[in-house]
Amino acid sequence: MSAQPLLSIRDLSVAFTQGGAESLAVDHVSFDIAKGETLALVGESGSGKSVSALSVLKLLPYPSASHPSGEIRFDGKDLMALGEKDLRRVRGNKITMIFQEPMTSLNPLHTIEQQIVEVLSLHQGMRDEQARARTLELLNEVGIREPEKRLGAYPHQLSGGQRQRVMIAMALANEPELLIADEPTTALDVTVQAQILELLARLKQKNGMSMLFITHDLGIVRKIADRVCVMTKGKIVETGPTKEIFDNPQHEYTRHLLAAEPKGKPPAPDPDARPVMIGEQVKVWFPIKQGFFRKVVDHVKAVDGIDVTVRAGQTLGVVGESGSGKTTLGLALARMISSKGEIRFDGRDIDKLSFNAMRPLRRELQIVFQDPYGSLSPRMSVAEIIEEGLRIHEPKLGADARDGRVVDALNEVGLDPATRFRYPHEFSGGQRQRIAIARAMVLNPKFVMLDEPTSALDMSVQAQVVDLLRGLQARHDLAYLFISHDLKVVRALANDVIVMRNGRIVEAGPADQIFGNPQTDYTRALISAAFRIETAPSGAVNE
């Protein structure tokens, strides 16, 4: 590695001003990244990791954000002194960034091909066939199956993991000198997570690329980082080589992070518990149309004949790779998308009910979506977001009673009720997910579809949320459909598990049986990728 750092940050502070009050989000942070080095910035939600990274390319919401102190030098140039025109030459070319929430980073009006080709055209001057060929190559590299069929897809037609992989392809298109990766594997299942880490490590070695890797997953840090900076409350409290940090952490907060992971066991399985949600031969097929008359020539069989039962006080875990049909199954059961097959909720057939006929049942049938930023209105305060369901389903509640319910919900998910008058953009990704959970729980539902509810959370908050969900379930006899690629969280929460692949169930049974004695090669591969963490030498990835 070069003695001259590629990126040098000195005494960086970031302050946010709102209503005349100023709060310090980053407090005199300093670190270097050498050429060819990967530095991991780790810490809990709200610690200042992403704010520090966004400062490098001046992507913070100025002028409400300011820098009371600090210097950022890239390849000898002072980035804070550059104007917007000069910064554009750095952004996307020399420094690129993968954002945490791909749905809000991708243009919903453009196809995947258009968005990647735009990057190649703008920065490399590629046109037509050359750009298309490079786009296919990039999609292949990041693990998109049958990329030719995905070129014309829009972001909403892809799973969360697939959208994140498209973002990674766009970021890597110009082979940057520095890649800032803000939770790049958050939305990915464990097997694809390993592929992406291997891909990033390979490209880093091939191009001499440096990385600033932001994550709350310490297992990933161990695999990919050369050095680690641990952040809390806007300050770096410990810095050192990865092996040294893991083997001999010096700061109490670092030891706290290393010890944090979801613990405990789900409630005892009860096969006699009352069925709340039953699906029989559920199918969701999306037509593929071609030609001038848009003739149906084939179908994408997202869910292909699945039987499920979710019981009161029990949790059914749904696991599988991105694009396996997990979320589509949940949306079909919740009657958010059209499907075929029988669906019964709390003893009532709902598979043929219209949207209006389903409305009275929405209070009892709630969803926590995967992408909290995309599911929370940016124009509503947290209090307004959480109380919206109460206004619709409990219109006789007075303002004080509604506010009391909002306060209780925020307390349950571990957020300060005093923040309820702020807006979603003022919270970290993990805090936004907790707001989404509070919005669902405030109505005291019977059935909750949890679509990756902990994917954006750091490890210690994951454990808190699992404990919270477990407590709510025991107190209210809730039935959970828990969709996740994080098998550690599934093991801590689910009684029963179904493993999905390509729209079908490849294995199903009690959680202890699935995790202790998997019967299929696919299930064994998922479990192996999730629970076998090997320490990789500097700059390499072992899996």
Side-chain angles (χ1 to χ4, degrees):
M1 293 182 185
S2 171
Q4 174 70 33
L6 180 67
L7 180 72
S8 180
I9 294 179
R10 289 288 173 269
D11 269 342
L12 177 68
S13 296
V14 182
F16 290 92
T17 303
Q18 183 180 21
E22 185 176 90
S23 60
L24 202 62
V26 175
D27 188 4
H28 292 86
V29 163
S30 299
F31 60 84
D32 293 334
I33 303 178
K35 292 182 179 180
E37 180 184 41
T38 297
L39 177 74
L41 204 55
V42 303
E44 294 179 299
S45 299
S47 63
K49 308 185 302 294
S50 295
V51 172
S52 299
L54 290 169
S55 298
V56 174
L57 289 173
K58 296 178 73 172
L59 294 175
L60 293 172
Y62 302 101
S64 61
S66 62
H67 299 288
S69 68
E71 180 184 66
I72 302 173
R73 302 191 73 85
F74 174 74
D75 207 13
K77 295 179 181 178
D78 185 0
L79 295 183
M80 296 187 75
L82 294 182
E84 186 65 22
K85 184 177 180 180
D86 291 326
L87 265 175
R88 286 175 184 168
R89 296 191 181 99
V90 177
R91 294 175 184 151
N93 257 335
K94 295 181 179 296
I95 304 177
T96 58
M97 188 164 184
I98 303 168
F99 295 96
Q100 183 174 358
E101 289 153 341
M103 191 58 178
T104 56
S105 303
L106 296 172
N107 191 324
L109 301 179
H110 289 177
T111 65
I112 300 308
E113 181 179 12
Q114 288 172 326
Q115 297 189 57
I116 299 178
V117 165
E118 182 181 20
V119 175
L120 297 170
S121 174
L122 181 64
H123 292 285
Q124 297 187 31
M126 288 189 186
R127 292 290 184 270
D128 302 332
E129 291 304 316
Q130 185 185 13
R132 183 184 178 88
R134 177 60 175 153
T135 297
L136 289 171
E137 181 184 346
L138 287 164
L139 292 177
N140 265 314
E141 282 187 323
V142 298
I144 296 285
R145 294 195 192 97
E146 299 180 305
E148 295 86 355
K149 294 184 179 180
R150 298 295 185 183
L151 290 176
Y154 292 86
H156 72 274
Q157 296 175 303
L158 303 179
S159 70
Q162 289 168 329
R163 287 194 291 264
Q164 188 67 287
R165 281 177 271 178
V166 171
M167 277 294 302
I168 293 170
M170 291 172 66
L172 297 178
N174 295 314
E175 300 180 355
E177 294 179 41
L178 174 65
L179 173 66
I180 301 174
D182 188 359
E183 302 277 6
T185 59
T186 291
L188 304 183
D189 56 79
V190 289
T191 53
V192 177
Q193 196 175 83
Q195 295 169 15
I196 294 300
L197 293 177
E198 289 170 359
L199 170 65
L200 292 174
R202 187 168 64 250
L203 290 172
K204 169 192 164 184
Q205 186 174 12
K206 174 185 174 184
N207 302 324
M209 184 175 68
S210 303
M211 277 197 288
L212 175 58
F213 200 97
I214 300 167
T215 185
H216 63 259
D217 190 330
L218 294 177
I220 291 175
V221 172
R222 187 191 292 265
K223 293 177 181 179
I224 199 167
D226 299 294
R227 290 190 304 116
V228 180
C229 289
V230 182
M231 284 193 74
T232 181
K233 298 179 181 178
K235 295 184 178 183
I236 292 178
V237 296
E238 188 166 359
T239 303
T242 303
K243 188 176 188 305
E244 184 178 309
I245 294 292
F246 275 83
D247 292 348
N248 188 28
Q250 299 297 306
H251 197 276
E252 181 181 353
Y253 179 73
T254 308
R255 291 192 289 269
H256 161 74
L257 284 182
L258 290 170
E261 71 173 39
K263 296 180 175 66
K265 294 183 177 181
D270 183 3
D272 297 323
R274 174 177 57 88
V276 174
M277 179 68 74
I278 298 174
E280 295 181 354
Q281 286 298 295
V282 178
K283 293 183 179 181
V284 181
W285 290 12
F286 296 107
I288 299 173
K289 299 179 180 180
Q290 290 183 357
F292 180 79
F293 294 103
R294 309 301 292 162
K295 182 179 179 182
V296 176
V297 296
D298 200 354
H299 288 85
V300 175
K301 300 178 181 180
V303 175
D304 194 16
I306 286 182
D307 298 334
V308 293
T309 300
V310 189
R311 300 180 182 275
Q314 303 281 288
T315 300
L316 175 65
V318 185
V319 302
E321 293 180 303
S322 299
S324 61
K326 307 187 299 296
T327 298
T328 305
L329 171 64
L331 292 174
L333 293 174
R335 299 292 293 135
M336 297 296 290
I337 59 175
S338 299
S339 64
K340 293 184 179 180
E342 296 182 7
I343 301 174
R344 290 191 295 279
F345 172 65
D346 204 24
R348 180 179 178 181
D349 291 335
I350 64 171
D351 51 272
K352 293 180 176 62
L353 292 183
S354 66
F355 180 82
N356 287 335
M358 280 295 302
R359 289 191 70 179
L361 297 177
R362 293 297 177 197
R363 171 180 175 171
E364 300 177 344
L365 198 159
Q366 286 291 301
I367 301 175
V368 177
F369 292 98
Q370 180 176 358
D371 182 354
Y373 198 70
S375 65
L376 301 177
S377 172
R379 299 185 178 183
M380 298 171 69
S381 69
V382 168
E384 291 170 331
I385 288 169
I386 297 175
E387 75 173 3
E388 184 179 22
L390 295 173
R391 286 180 176 273
I392 294 171
H393 294 288
E394 299 186 36
K396 295 182 180 180
L397 273 183
D400 290 342
R402 281 198 308 271
D403 189 60
R405 293 274 290 274
V406 171
V407 168
D408 290 342
L410 288 171
N411 276 322
E412 280 194 313
V413 299
L415 287 176
D416 183 359
T419 65
R420 66 188 183 278
F421 303 112
R422 297 181 185 176
Y423 290 80
H425 73 273
E426 299 177 73
F427 294 85
S428 69
Q431 290 168 329
R432 287 194 287 263
Q433 189 64 289
R434 281 178 273 174
I435 293 167
I437 293 172
R439 176 178 59 181
M441 296 303 178
V442 75
L443 290 171
N444 299 317
K446 293 180 180 179
F447 172 87
V448 183
M449 170 191 161
L450 298 153
D451 188 3
E452 303 276 9
T454 61
S455 65
L457 304 182
D458 54 76
M459 295 294 287
S460 61
V461 179
Q462 274 188 7
Q464 295 168 17
V465 170
V466 168
D467 289 340
L468 166 66
L469 293 173
R470 200 184 284 129
L472 288 168
Q473 185 175 53
R475 191 155 58 249
H476 302 293
D477 207 29
L478 292 170
Y480 290 151
L481 183 74
F482 190 86
I483 298 167
S484 181
H485 66 261
D486 191 332
L487 299 189
K488 293 181 181 178
V489 176
V490 172
R491 184 172 62 177
L493 196 61
N495 310 100
D496 295 286
V497 174
I498 63 173
V499 181
M500 290 187 65
R501 188 180 194 187
N502 298 331
R504 291 180 174 271
I505 294 176
V506 297
E507 190 165 354
D512 288 343
Q513 175 184 311
I514 296 294
F515 286 106
N517 186 28
Q519 299 299 302
T520 67
D521 290 340
Y522 180 69
T523 306
R524 283 192 286 269
L526 287 179
I527 292 173
S528 175
F531 294 104
R532 190 187 73 220
I533 298 177
E534 299 177 1
T535 304
S538 177
V541 175
N542 290 335
E543 187 60 52

